[in-house]
Amino acid sequence: MPVPSLVETAIIGAGQCGLGASHLLTQAGREHVVLEARPSLGGGWQDRWDSFCLVTPNWTTALPGFAYDGADPDGFMVRDEIRARLTRYASVIGAPVILECPVARATLRPGPSGFQLETAQGTLRADHLIVATGSYHRPTRPPIADALPARLTQLHSHDYTNEAALPPGGVLVVGSGQSGIQLAEELLDAGRETYLAMGSAGWAPRRYRGRDLFSWLAALVTDGPRFGVTLPTVDRLPDPRARLAANPQLTGHGGGHDVDLRALASRGLGLLGRLGAVDGEQLTLAPGLGEALARADGFFDQRLRPPIDGYIAAAGIDAPDEPVVRSSFVPPERPVIDLTTTGIRTVIWTTGYRPDFGWLDLPIFDEQGLPRHSRGLSEVPGLGFLGLVWQYNQASATLFGPTQDGPPLLARMGLVPAEAVQPSVPNLS
C-alpha cells in the first residue's frame, strides 16, 4: 500500500510491539498505518545469527489477539520460526504495514497538534505517533577494540552468522550476557578454542520450583499485582543507567538448560576477567574474576527469587522448593593473556546496543538517549513509545511487552477504551 498523506495514527516499527498496537487499534476501529524500514517482516529478530533461538519459551509468543497455537509450547523457537510467526501475525490481524519505509525525520506538524514524517516513500502527517522500534538500535563496542592488533577479525554479535564463517583459530567472546554465553557455548561445542571475557550479567536458573523461570516472571507481570507482588518497576531502579544493563544469563539452546560459566570453564572455556589494556599481542585483564563470578551467582537470589517466592506463598501455589545445583569449579585467574600463544584470531563483541532516535527531531531525550516518558506516554501530546527497555519493568522489551504495555498506553492516548486494559493470566499448569 502507498504511504497516505494523512492518517490518524502512525506506528513506527513492525516488530511484536508495533503489530500488537496495530491489532488493538484495529479492534477499536482506529485508522492507522505501520511503517517498517526493513524489506520483510520479523522485526529485529531476523537480524540475529543463524542458530539464534528464543530465551523465552514458545508460549510467550502469544500476542494480542494471537495465542500460541504450535505443538511445542515449552520449546524455544529458532530465528526463522520467530520471523515466520510475526509474518503470520501481521497477516492474521490484517496489519496495514508498509515495508521499506524508513522514517528519516519526524517533527511536530505546523498547527495546533500532530506530527509530520519524512519517509522514504513520501511525507505523512499523523495526529498520533507510536514509536515501536525498541531501544536496541546501534551495535556498540568499547574503545579498547581500536587498540587490538590489526590482524584480528573483529565483529559484533549483530554481524555474526555462524561458526564456519569465522577464520580458523581461537575466538575471544567479550561480554557474558545472553548473546555472549550462547555464542561461547556454541563455539565450544563446535570444537573451537574459546575464551570469554566477563561482563556484569547475572546468573539465573532455566527452571525454578518445577517450572520454567519465565512462567513465574509472566505470573508476576499479569497476576502478581493481585497479591501485591510484582517485578521491580523502572522507578525502583537504583540508577537510571541500570536500564541498559545486561539481561540475566539464560539460553534456549538444546531445549533450554542452565548456563553455568564455572561448568563451561571446567569443560575448557577460557574464562577471563574484564579487558583492561592492550600492549601489542598482550591483553591485560582486570583483577577480580572470582568476585565477578560471585556477583553473577548472587543475581538470582537478590533480584528474582524474592518476588517469585513471595508470589508463590501469597497465591498459595503448590511448588515445592528445590535446591539449585551449581558447579563448584574455580577457574584460574589470569592477569594477562597472549593473543598469539592462545591462537586467538577472532574477537566477537557481545557488548550490546545503544538507542538511536536521531530521526525523531524532538527535545525529549535524557542523557542516555532514551525518551522521557511515563509508562510510554511522552511529554509531547500524541506521542507514545512501546518496547522501550525498562519502559515499565524488565518485561517491557520482551515478547511480554505488547500485552503488558500496549493496552494501558493506547488507553492513556485515548485511542482504545479503558476496558481494553485487561492483561491475561498465563497457564502455569
Side-chain angles (χ1 to χ4, degrees):
M1 63 180 291
V3 171
S5 60
L6 178 65
V7 70
E8 182 183 37
T9 300
I11 300 172
I12 314 299
Q16 68 263 15
C17 286
L19 294 177
S22 175
H23 170 71
L24 294 169
L25 292 177
T26 296
Q27 292 297 103
R30 307 307 292 250
E31 178 198 30
H32 68 283
V33 294
V34 185
L35 308 181
E36 170 57 49
R38 295 176 177 83
S40 58
L41 289 165
W45 304 103
Q46 59 193 310
D47 301 335
R48 303 301 184 250
W49 64 92
D50 293 354
S51 62
F52 176 88
C53 71
L54 285 177
V55 166
T56 59
N58 291 340
W59 56 262
T60 66
T61 65
L63 297 165
F66 193 59
Y68 175 75
D69 56 357
D72 189 14
D74 297 316
F76 299 87
M77 289 185 191
V78 296
R79 180 195 63 189
D80 292 344
E81 290 177 307
I82 308 166
R83 175 179 176 175
R85 178 160 174 78
L86 287 177
T87 300
R88 184 160 68 94
Y89 181 41
S91 176
V92 167
I93 66 175
V97 178
I98 304 175
L99 296 173
E100 297 185 280
C101 192
V103 178
R105 187 166 180 256
T107 59
L108 291 176
R109 188 170 66 195
S113 64
F115 305 88
Q116 181 163 305
L117 281 61
E118 303 299 333
T119 83
Q121 299 185 34
T123 300
L124 167 67
R125 292 176 296 155
D127 297 328
H128 300 89
L129 179 60
I130 298 171
V131 179
T133 58
S135 302
Y136 305 120
H137 305 140
R138 180 167 46 86
T140 62
R141 60 183 192 178
I144 195 174
D146 297 330
L148 291 174
R151 69 170 184 85
L152 294 174
T153 295
Q154 296 191 55
L155 67 159
H156 192 274
S157 56
H158 184 85
D159 302 307
Y160 173 79
T161 55
N162 56 63
E163 178 269 334
L166 300 179
V171 182
L172 169 61
V173 179
V174 183
S176 54
Q178 291 175 359
S179 293
I181 59 169
Q182 289 177 36
L183 290 181
E185 187 173 37
E186 179 178 315
L187 293 165
L188 192 65
D189 289 345
R192 288 281 186 145
E193 186 74 19
T194 307
Y195 297 82
L196 177 68
M198 284 280 290
S200 58
W203 176 87
R206 178 73 268 176
R207 294 181 63 82
Y208 179 63
R209 297 186 69 167
R211 296 168 183 169
D212 188 273
L213 180 66
F214 275 91
S215 289
W216 299 122
L217 298 182
L220 286 171
V221 168
T222 60
D223 196 37
R226 190 159 62 100
F227 299 97
V229 186
T230 62
L231 284 176
T233 51
V234 65
D235 58 299
R236 291 167 57 188
L237 287 176
D239 188 317
R241 291 174 295 183
R243 293 174 297 176
L244 297 178
N247 288 317
Q249 297 167 346
L250 288 166
T251 183
H253 282 290
H257 59 272
D258 280 6
V259 178
D260 189 332
L261 290 180
R262 296 177 189 275
L264 288 177
S266 71
R267 285 179 47 200
L269 176 69
L271 198 57
L272 310 174
R274 286 179 175 270
L275 301 188
V278 180
D279 183 8
E281 294 285 332
Q282 301 269 311
L283 289 184
T284 301
L285 305 171
L289 175 61
E291 290 83 353
L293 283 168
R295 285 193 296 272
D297 291 345
F299 172 85
F300 176 69
D301 285 340
Q302 295 170 11
R303 293 279 298 276
L304 297 180
R305 190 198 291 261
I308 292 173
D309 285 350
Y311 170 74
I312 291 171
I317 298 171
D318 182 16
D321 204 353
E322 55 191 22
V324 177
V325 180
R326 304 293 310 282
S327 170
S328 59
F329 180 75
V330 179
E333 181 155 350
R334 318 181 199 203
V336 175
I337 184 171
D338 188 284
L339 296 169
T340 303
T341 58
T342 54
I344 292 173
R345 292 188 58 189
T346 302
V347 178
I348 302 177
W349 299 95
T350 65
T351 42
Y353 296 77
R354 287 295 181 268
D356 184 0
F357 293 98
W359 56 272
L360 192 53
D361 191 6
L362 295 169
I364 60 168
F365 298 99
D366 63 20
E367 66 283 354
Q368 288 183 283
L370 291 168
R372 296 187 296 272
H373 65 92
S374 171
R375 198 166 180 180
L377 188 63
S378 166
E379 59 197 42
V380 175
L383 175 62
F385 292 83
L386 277 175
L388 291 174
V389 61
W390 281 92
Q391 178 165 316
Y392 177 61
N393 57 27
Q394 201 162 10
S396 293
T398 72
L399 288 162
F400 295 135
T403 300
Q404 172 188 260
D405 298 330
L409 171 67
L410 298 183
R412 292 175 68 193
M413 293 179 71
L415 295 172
V416 302
E419 54 266 27
V421 187
Q422 295 178 357
S424 59
V425 178
N427 182 0
L428 298 179
S429 60

